[in-house]
């Protein structure tokens, strides 16, 4: 029977995979199965082994490897050695294999391998493996980072080979001046011959140098054949070493990113306290770089925030502007507000340095230099650095090396400096340390910035809380005024004439207006229906009055008149039949609150000056503010007239109030008037549909807001003058402060066109809405008639002004023509020239006379306001 060989069995199984599978399933033991799975797991985890470093720790090499190679035929040894390094990706293992294999190929006693480092112009070699024999292990010959020998290009035998790319075969080492005999004296080893060959990459750049020493035969000399084999083998080694270095870079990048993610996660978990965050940064940084001491300095500017200054930065300002300014600063301009200091092994003893301790420290001066220059400082030898000479001792700590890294925010502003001192292995900080810590500094900056933002937000919330408390106290009606209103007898509706469309508030004092408000709610039985405590009702009324500013027109009196007209629409106009009690209550509250805290300027002006209100609300700016102010009053102590509302009713009322107050924005009125007109013309009867009722309530708010145009002519004219006076005040600000030309209705130089502008206002806004309401309820027709009468009066004034203006123009034109006598006398040209010279003065005189006439109208309007308003002027000045 023929002998079964291993090769025959492998060939049979390869050709019959199904047989192998069947046999394996039926006969394989549990131990065999586990062994196969383990091998499979090892193969799948190969890349993980490289990343974790297990590959190098598991590699042994040495005598067993050499003995196995010696069993192979000489023709296969070279190819086996090439295969041995082809798939090796660990640089340390690969370098050891290269030297071991070279020792086997050339018969050398030992060898060393140097890797090239540094940028162009400053290249040098570092000893990776030293004195490797065919039996030595990796751990015994590997030079760690701190033990590596640096050899500049061009220095010594290896340096000369690296610089010239020549292969050097020295038969007598001691006769070559480039050979360093000190190594033999230190080790006791006698070097006879040296062969040194460069290792190059694809681009023919030197990436390392391999060196073998002492042939094992009698004369210790390497033959030409040894050199040729050495050189040939290193060609393949160059390919493998390049691949391994690229893989090492990717592994380092992976580890770096993994570590940074971990560090970032730890840092961003702490966002509530700057001190705790800095302490965590120091612990992570010290663990990462393995240094003896760590300091973190926080700049003074980063702690003095806009919140502390009471300054609110416009949204358009860019943080990049700050970083550009910082880049021009000098170390003397940098000031640190806080400094933290921690030494290795003293995590529980992190010191917070006082200003004297760190501002006088030479280490702080280095940190200031890094902050001012926006550059990393890596001082590898403190004793030899001129900035630190004679200063190596700091607080009983001897400083050997220092690494300072600026900490930036996302906007590029320096908020601090991290300073590391003395690596625990005694070596200086390397480029790899700088790179990893620079990336870490970015996360630190974001963490510090976010923590400061959180602290600023807390400060703002605290300030807001205090401000609201102060405002609530000062903006709420005092108990004395509340008690007086609560105890006074409220006059009847008829005595106050609240049912009248021609109601005039001028004869009333401010106390009378507050009593009239209470009477409106009482007459509609709203206080009783919604179980509002009478004292709360009185305090709320006085608080609303107090929260109107003492401006020319949009003040408490305007709000009171709007509320009275709403009451008249509900009662005299009989619109209350279309509305529920909660809707009538909401409309009265909205009427009184619709201009709360009005500043005497319109929405467009808020946008022009980029006010905080304009940043809060992009549309209906002031109306949103009025609504928010209304809610704020509800929330202030003793003013919640909604306290008895159910959650459902409360939610509905708030929505109703918001809709009603926003409806006073005429921009929304123009958008909705068409839909309202459609429903009116279709003969809408009950207005029960929610959407239709929203339209009705919105139009009611507009009708009440502009109702001054329906009043008797004397009242209407006086109010119109007040309105335009407030407009002109805004126009003056736009012209004098903003240096912009205001629109015509706000331009004081065009105040003589007031009648014409009033006609336009009535035609565009007032008449359409009052026509529609007169179609809904005949009882509302007096509003339309009053509006039409006032339009006639304004048109009369406009026509009169136009006639006078036309006559003045004709007179000036006739006056400019020279008389026949002047022409005959030859003085025509002189007369024309003189008239041209005097024309501007005459025009100015005409404008002055027109201004005087308008001023007389203004004086008449002030007289109509009566003595009562003048008496209460001092009271209005105390309004917030």
């Amino acid at each position: 029977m023929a002998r079964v060989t291993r090769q025959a069995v492998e060939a049979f199984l390869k050709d019959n995979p199904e047989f192998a599978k069947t046999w394996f399933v039926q006969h394989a033991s549990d131990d065999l199965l586990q062994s196969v799975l383990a091998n499979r797991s090892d193969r799948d985890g190969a890349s993980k082994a490289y990343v974790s470093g297990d590959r190098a720790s598991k590699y042994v090499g040495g005598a067993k490897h050499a003995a196995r190679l010696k069993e192979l035929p000489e023709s296969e040894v070279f190819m086996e050695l090439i295969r041995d390094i082809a798939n090796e990706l660990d640089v340390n293992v690969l370098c050891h294999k290269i030297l071991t294999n070279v020792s086997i190929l050339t018969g050398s006693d030992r060898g060393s391998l140097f890797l090239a480092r540094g940028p162009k112009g400053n290249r040098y070699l570092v000893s990776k493996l030293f004195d490797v024999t065919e039996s030595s292990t990796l751990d015994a010959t590997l030079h760690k980072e701190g033990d590596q020998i640096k050899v500049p290009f061009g220095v010594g035998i290896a340096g000369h080979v690296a610089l010239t790319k020549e292969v050097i075969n020295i038969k007598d080492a001691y006769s070559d001046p480039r050979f360093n005999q000190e190594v033999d004296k230190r080790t006791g080893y006698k070097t006879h011959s040296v062969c040194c060959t460069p290792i190059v990459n694809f681009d023919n750049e030197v990436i390392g140098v391999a060196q073998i020493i002492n042939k094992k035969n009698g004369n210790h000399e390497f033959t030409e054949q040894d050199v040729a084999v050495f050189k040939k083998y290193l060609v393949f080694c160059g390919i493998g070493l390049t691949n391994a270095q690229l893989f090492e870079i990717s592994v380092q990048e992976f580890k770096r990113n993994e570590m940074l993610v971990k560090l970032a996660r730890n840092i961003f978990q702490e966002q509530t306290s700057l001190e705790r965050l800095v302490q965590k940064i120091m612990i992570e940084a010290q663990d990462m770089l393995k240094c003896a001491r760590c300091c973190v300095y926080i700049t003074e500017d980063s702690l003095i925030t806009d919140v502390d200054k009471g300054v609110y930065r416009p949204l358009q300002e860019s943080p990049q502007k700050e970083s550009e300014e910082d880049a021009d600063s000098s170390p003397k301009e940098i000031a640190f507000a806080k400094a933290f200091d921690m030494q290795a092994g003293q995590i529980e003893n992190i010191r917070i340095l006082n200003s004297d301790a760190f501002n006088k420290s030479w280490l702080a001066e280095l940190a200031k230099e890094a902050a001012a220059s926006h550059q990393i400082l890596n001082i590898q030898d403190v004793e030899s650095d001129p900035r630190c000479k004679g200063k190596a001792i700091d607080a009983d700590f001897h400083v050997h090396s220092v690494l300072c890294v600026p900490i930036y925010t996302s906007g590029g502003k320096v908020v601090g400096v991290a300073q590391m001192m003395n690596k625990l292995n005694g070596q200086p900080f390397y480029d790899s340390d700088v790179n990893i810590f620079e990336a870490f500094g970015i996360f630190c900056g974001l963490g510090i910035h976010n923590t400061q933002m959180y602290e600023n937000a807390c400060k703002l919330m605290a300030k807001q809380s205090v401000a609201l408390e102060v405002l609530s106290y000062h903006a709420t009606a005092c108990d004395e005024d509340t008690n007086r209103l609560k105890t006074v007898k409220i006059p009847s509706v008829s005595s106050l004439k609240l049912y009248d469309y021609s109601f005039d508030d001028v004869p009333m004092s401010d106390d009378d207006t507050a009593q009239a408000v209470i009477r409106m709610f009482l007459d509609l039985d709203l206080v009783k229906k919604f179980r509002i405590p009478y004292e709360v009702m009185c305090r709320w009324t006085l608080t609303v009055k107090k929260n109107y500013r003492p401006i020319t027109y949009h003040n408490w009196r305007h709000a009171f008149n709007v509320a009275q007209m709403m009451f008249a629409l509900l009662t005299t106009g009989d619109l209350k039949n279309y509305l529920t009690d909660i809707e009538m209550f909401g409309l009265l509250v909205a009427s009184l609150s619709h201009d709360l805290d009005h500043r005497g300027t319109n929405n467009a002006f808020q946008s022009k000056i980029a006010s905080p209100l304009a940043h809060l609300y992009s549309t209906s700016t002031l109306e949103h503010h009025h609504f928010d102010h209304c809610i704020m009053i509800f929330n202030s102590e003793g003013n919640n007239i909604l306290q008895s509302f159910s959650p459902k009713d409360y939610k509905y009322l708030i929505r109703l109030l918001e809709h009603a107050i926003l409806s006073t924005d005429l921009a929304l009125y123009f958008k909705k008037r068409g839909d309202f007109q459609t429903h009116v013309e279709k003969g809408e009867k009950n207005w029960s549909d929610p959407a239709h009722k929203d339209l009705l309530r919105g139009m009611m708010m507009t009708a009440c807001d502009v109702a001054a145009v329906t009043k008797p002519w004397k009242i209407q004219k006086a109010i119109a003058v007040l309105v335009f006076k407030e407009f002109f005040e805004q126009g003056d600000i736009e012209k004098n402060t903003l240096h912009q030309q205001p629109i015509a209705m706000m331009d004081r130089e065009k105040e003589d066109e007031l009648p014409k502008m009033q006609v336009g206002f009535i035609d565009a806004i007032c008449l359409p809405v009052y026509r529609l309401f007169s179609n809904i309820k005949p009882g509302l027709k007096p509003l339309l008639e009053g509006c039409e009468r006032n339009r006639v009066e304004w048109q009369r004034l406009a026509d009169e002004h136009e006639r006078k203006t036309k006559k003045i123009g004709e007179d000036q034109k006739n006056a400019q023509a020279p008389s026949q006598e002047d022409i005959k006398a030859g003085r025509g040209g002189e007369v024309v020239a003189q008239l041209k010279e005097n024309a501007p003065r005459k025009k100015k005189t005409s404008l002055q006379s027109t201004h005087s006439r308008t001023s007389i109208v203004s004086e008449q309007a002030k007289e109509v306001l009566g003595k009562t308003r003048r008496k209460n002027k001092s009271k209005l000045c105390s309004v917030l």
Side-chain angles (χ1 to χ4, degrees):
M1 183 177 179
R3 183 172 175 268
V4 178
T5 63
R6 179 186 182 92
Q7 289 82 357
V9 173
E10 287 181 353
F12 175 79
L13 292 176
K14 185 176 180 181
D15 295 337
N16 299 275
E18 288 299 321
F19 172 81
K21 180 180 177 182
T22 303
W23 185 92
F24 190 87
V25 171
Q26 293 177 354
H27 302 288
S29 64
D30 292 340
D31 292 340
L32 180 59
L33 283 172
Q34 289 184 8
S35 177
V36 171
L37 291 174
N39 289 335
R40 171 65 68 179
S41 176
D42 286 345
R43 192 171 72 183
D44 291 344
S47 61
K48 292 183 180 179
Y50 281 113
V51 173
S52 62
D54 292 343
R55 175 77 182 96
S57 63
K58 290 179 180 179
Y59 169 75
V60 179
K64 290 183 179 180
H65 175 65
R68 186 175 64 82
L69 288 174
K70 288 178 180 178
E71 295 177 358
L72 297 176
E74 187 175 347
S75 59
E76 295 184 12
V77 171
F78 192 83
M79 293 305 299
E80 179 63 25
L81 292 180
I82 292 175
R83 282 194 293 269
D84 189 36
I85 66 171
N87 296 320
E88 184 57 61
L89 294 175
D90 187 284
V91 173
N92 295 334
V93 173
L94 177 62
C95 290
H96 189 269
K97 282 186 174 183
I98 289 172
L99 291 176
T100 303
N101 296 344
V102 165
S103 178
I104 294 170
L105 286 171
T106 61
S108 60
D109 182 54
R110 60 191 57 199
S112 300
L113 193 142
F114 302 85
L115 296 180
R117 295 282 188 267
K120 289 183 177 180
N122 188 27
R123 302 275 282 167
Y124 58 90
L125 297 172
V126 294
S127 59
K128 192 68 174 175
L129 291 161
F130 201 74
D131 282 352
V132 177
T133 66
E134 65 178 34
S135 60
S136 61
T137 62
L138 173 63
D139 291 337
T141 55
L142 180 66
H143 274 193
K144 300 293 178 63
E145 188 174 19
D147 302 326
Q148 292 175 347
I149 303 170
K150 285 188 177 181
V151 180
F153 274 32
V155 176
I157 297 173
H160 177 79
V161 170
L163 182 64
T164 62
K165 300 180 186 177
E166 296 176 0
V167 177
I168 295 179
N169 184 14
I170 302 173
K171 300 185 183 298
D172 183 6
Y174 280 79
S175 64
D176 194 301
R178 295 168 296 186
F179 177 70
N180 185 3
Q181 300 179 22
E182 293 297 324
V183 178
D184 280 5
K185 291 178 182 180
R186 191 169 64 248
T187 61
Y189 180 81
K190 175 70 173 178
T191 302
H192 298 283
S193 58
V194 178
C195 184
C196 198
T197 304
I199 305 174
V200 297
N201 60 13
F202 306 111
D203 299 322
N204 200 36
E205 294 177 346
V206 175
I207 59 174
V209 172
Q211 179 177 282
I212 52 177
I213 299 173
N214 293 357
K215 180 86 171 181
K216 289 181 181 179
N217 59 13
N219 61 4
H220 302 295
E221 295 180 0
F222 295 102
T223 65
E224 292 298 324
Q225 185 180 359
D226 293 330
V227 174
V229 171
F230 188 23
K231 185 176 178 182
K232 182 179 179 182
Y233 185 67
L234 289 186
V235 172
F236 297 97
C237 294
I239 298 171
L241 187 57
T242 300
N243 292 337
Q245 287 180 328
L246 290 173
F247 182 75
E248 184 180 52
I249 292 171
S250 66
V251 169
Q252 289 175 350
E253 190 66 26
F254 174 80
K255 287 181 177 180
R256 176 187 178 193
N257 293 338
E258 191 176 44
M259 181 173 59
L260 287 175
V261 169
K262 177 187 173 184
L263 294 174
R265 186 184 300 114
N266 291 338
I267 287 175
F268 287 116
Q269 283 176 350
E270 179 56 65
Q271 298 281 291
T272 58
S273 168
L274 180 61
E275 291 186 6
R276 288 198 296 270
L277 174 68
V278 171
Q279 290 175 4
K280 184 168 284 191
I281 288 173
M282 295 172 74
I283 293 171
E284 298 288 354
Q286 206 164 49
D287 181 63
M288 179 173 60
L289 294 188
K290 301 294 186 294
C291 60
R293 183 179 174 188
C294 174
C295 290
V296 172
Y297 302 88
I298 304 298
T299 60
E300 198 171 70
D301 287 344
S302 67
L303 293 182
I304 303 175
T305 63
D306 291 337
V307 177
D308 297 320
K309 297 174 185 174
V311 176
Y312 296 90
R313 188 187 306 280
L315 295 182
Q316 293 86 349
E317 281 194 26
S318 169
Q320 187 177 358
K321 195 172 182 181
E322 292 181 358
S323 63
E324 290 171 357
E325 292 172 357
D326 291 344
D328 298 332
S329 59
S330 67
K332 292 182 179 180
E333 296 173 347
I334 301 295
F336 294 128
K338 285 187 177 182
F340 302 82
D341 188 4
M342 183 184 76
Q343 295 191 22
Q346 299 181 7
I347 295 176
E348 302 298 328
N349 189 26
I350 297 177
R351 296 186 301 150
I352 300 177
L353 305 178
N354 58 51
S355 58
D356 291 335
F358 64 77
N359 278 325
K360 294 179 181 178
S361 168
W362 62 276
L363 291 171
E365 293 301 318
L366 292 178
K368 289 179 180 179
E369 183 179 341
S373 64
H374 288 221
Q375 299 292 326
I376 295 172
L377 294 184
N378 184 10
I379 303 175
Q380 298 188 346
D381 185 6
V382 169
E383 294 287 354
S384 63
D385 192 282
R387 293 167 294 188
C388 315
K389 212 161 187 179
K391 303 177 181 178
I393 306 298
D394 180 81
D396 299 328
F397 182 86
H398 194 282
V399 183
H400 300 288
S401 58
V402 180
L403 175 63
C404 295
V405 178
I407 299 174
Y408 304 94
T409 64
S410 57
K413 181 180 179 181
V414 175
V415 294
V417 176
Q419 190 176 71
M420 318 301 287
M421 288 158 276
N422 295 6
K423 293 196 71 172
L424 294 176
N425 59 11
Q427 296 297 313
F429 294 97
Y430 296 106
D431 291 343
S432 57
D433 299 322
V434 174
N435 292 336
I436 190 70
F437 197 61
E438 185 178 16
F440 176 65
I442 295 173
F443 290 104
C444 294
L446 293 174
I448 290 174
H449 182 66
N450 289 347
T451 303
Q452 289 176 333
M453 292 292 288
Y454 176 83
E455 290 182 347
N456 289 345
C458 291
K459 287 181 182 179
L460 279 174
M461 290 178 66
K463 287 192 173 192
Q464 184 186 38
S465 178
V466 172
L468 285 175
E469 183 182 354
V470 172
L471 286 173
S472 177
Y473 175 79
H474 290 286
T476 299
C478 64
D479 292 338
E480 181 183 353
D481 292 341
T482 302
N483 291 330
R484 185 168 61 250
L485 179 58
K486 184 177 71 172
T487 56
V488 75
K489 183 179 179 181
I490 304 298
S492 65
V493 174
S494 56
S495 64
L496 293 170
K497 300 181 181 178
L498 296 176
Y499 290 137
D500 296 352
Y501 294 134
S502 58
F503 174 80
D504 182 13
D505 72 302
V506 171
M508 302 177 70
S509 66
D510 279 357
D511 289 341
D512 293 339
T513 61
Q515 295 173 27
V517 169
I518 300 296
R519 173 49 62 193
M520 286 187 265
F521 282 92
L522 292 174
D523 190 70
L524 293 173
D525 202 23
L526 299 175
V527 176
K528 181 179 179 181
K529 287 178 180 177
F530 296 110
R531 302 189 302 279
I532 305 173
Y534 190 67
E535 181 178 352
V536 174
M537 187 72 220
C538 294
R539 184 180 291 105
W540 176 83
T541 301
L542 293 172
T543 299
V544 170
K545 179 173 74 69
K546 194 174 182 181
N547 278 267
Y548 275 91
R549 300 191 184 199
I551 55 180
T552 306
Y553 176 69
H554 288 96
N555 49 40
W556 162 250
R557 289 302 181 114
H558 167 66
F560 170 66
N561 277 284
V562 173
Q564 183 278 326
M565 182 55 70
M566 181 62 72
F567 177 78
L569 290 183
L570 294 172
T571 54
T572 308
D574 202 26
L575 288 179
K576 66 180 181 179
N577 292 327
Y578 297 133
L579 304 169
T580 63
D581 290 334
I582 195 171
E583 288 170 335
M584 289 190 290
F585 179 82
L587 286 173
L588 274 182
V589 171
S591 298
L592 290 165
S593 307
H594 82 282
D595 274 333
L596 276 168
D597 196 45
H598 200 291
R599 285 92 191 282
T601 53
N602 61 9
N603 289 333
F605 183 82
Q606 302 302 319
S607 299
K608 284 181 181 180
I609 65 171
S611 70
L613 288 179
H615 290 313
L616 283 173
Y617 317 108
S618 57
T619 59
S620 302
T621 302
L622 286 171
E623 287 75 20
H624 276 107
H625 175 60
H626 304 324
F627 168 72
D628 287 347
H629 207 95
C630 172
I631 301 302
M632 187 193 77
I633 292 176
F634 289 152
N635 293 331
S636 59
E637 187 176 356
N639 289 286
N640 188 8
I641 58 176
L642 312 181
Q643 57 188 267
S644 299
F645 279 63
S646 67
K648 181 180 178 181
D649 288 343
Y650 180 87
K651 184 177 180 180
Y652 176 71
L653 180 68
I654 295 300
R655 190 192 73 81
L656 188 150
L657 284 173
E658 182 178 22
H659 175 266
I661 292 176
L662 293 184
S663 294
T664 59
D665 184 357
L666 290 179
L668 297 180
Y669 161 74
F670 285 115
K671 291 180 180 179
K672 296 180 178 180
R673 189 176 69 186
D675 293 339
F676 183 63
Q677 182 176 349
T678 300
H679 295 303
V680 172
E681 290 175 351
K682 286 182 178 179
E684 181 84 34
K685 298 296 183 183
N686 51 21
W687 298 90
S688 58
D689 183 272
H692 298 177
K693 193 178 282 190
D694 277 351
L695 280 174
L696 176 64
R697 291 196 303 267
M699 292 300 136
M700 288 175 67
M701 289 297 298
T702 301
C704 296
D705 198 18
V706 299
V709 80
T710 67
K711 303 286 185 177
W713 170 242
K714 185 178 180 181
I715 300 173
Q716 151 64 180
K717 186 169 64 172
I719 294 176
V721 170
L722 290 177
V723 172
F724 276 88
K725 184 180 179 183
E726 186 174 283
F727 286 171
F728 293 153
E729 289 168 357
Q730 175 179 324
D732 292 342
I733 297 174
E734 292 180 8
K735 188 180 297 183
N736 300 327
T737 304
L738 303 182
H739 306 292
Q740 297 179 3
Q741 181 61 36
I743 60 175
M745 67 187 308
M746 296 185 179
D747 191 350
R748 191 180 298 277
E749 295 179 4
K750 298 180 180 180
E751 63 180 336
D752 52 349
E753 298 179 11
L754 187 152
K756 181 180 179 181
M757 288 186 280
Q758 272 296 94
V759 171
F761 175 74
I762 291 172
D763 289 343
I765 296 171
C766 305
L767 282 177
V769 72
Y770 293 124
R771 285 197 186 102
L772 293 172
F773 272 108
S774 65
N775 291 334
I776 296 174
K777 284 286 186 179
L780 298 174
K781 195 170 184 181
L783 296 175
L784 175 61
E785 293 171 347
C787 184
E788 290 173 339
R789 285 195 298 271
N790 287 328
R791 187 196 183 284
V792 171
E793 293 295 332
W794 286 117
Q795 187 63 57
R796 177 179 59 80
L797 292 178
D799 293 342
E800 181 180 342
H801 170 70
E802 188 176 354
R803 283 195 303 271
K804 290 180 179 179
T805 303
K806 187 176 180 181
K807 186 176 185 304
I808 291 172
E810 290 176 352
D811 291 344
Q812 290 178 347
K813 185 177 179 181
N814 293 334
Q816 289 174 1
S819 64
Q820 293 295 325
E821 295 178 359
D822 290 331
I823 294 173
K824 289 179 180 180
R827 298 193 304 270
E830 296 176 6
V831 173
V832 171
Q834 185 178 358
L835 286 173
K836 284 183 179 179
E837 182 182 353
N838 294 334
R841 195 179 302 118
K842 287 185 178 182
K843 185 176 182 181
K844 183 175 181 181
T845 303
S846 174
L847 286 172
Q848 286 175 341
S849 63
T850 306
H851 178 74
S852 299
R853 290 196 302 273
T854 310
S855 299
I856 293 172
V857 175
S858 299
E859 291 300 323
Q860 291 174 346
K862 291 179 182 177
E863 188 66 28
V864 171
L865 291 177
K867 298 179 181 178
T868 306
R869 285 197 182 181
R870 290 196 295 273
K871 182 179 70 176
N872 292 314
K873 183 176 181 180
S874 59
K875 292 183 180 180
L876 289 171
C877 289
S878 65
V879 177
L880 286 177

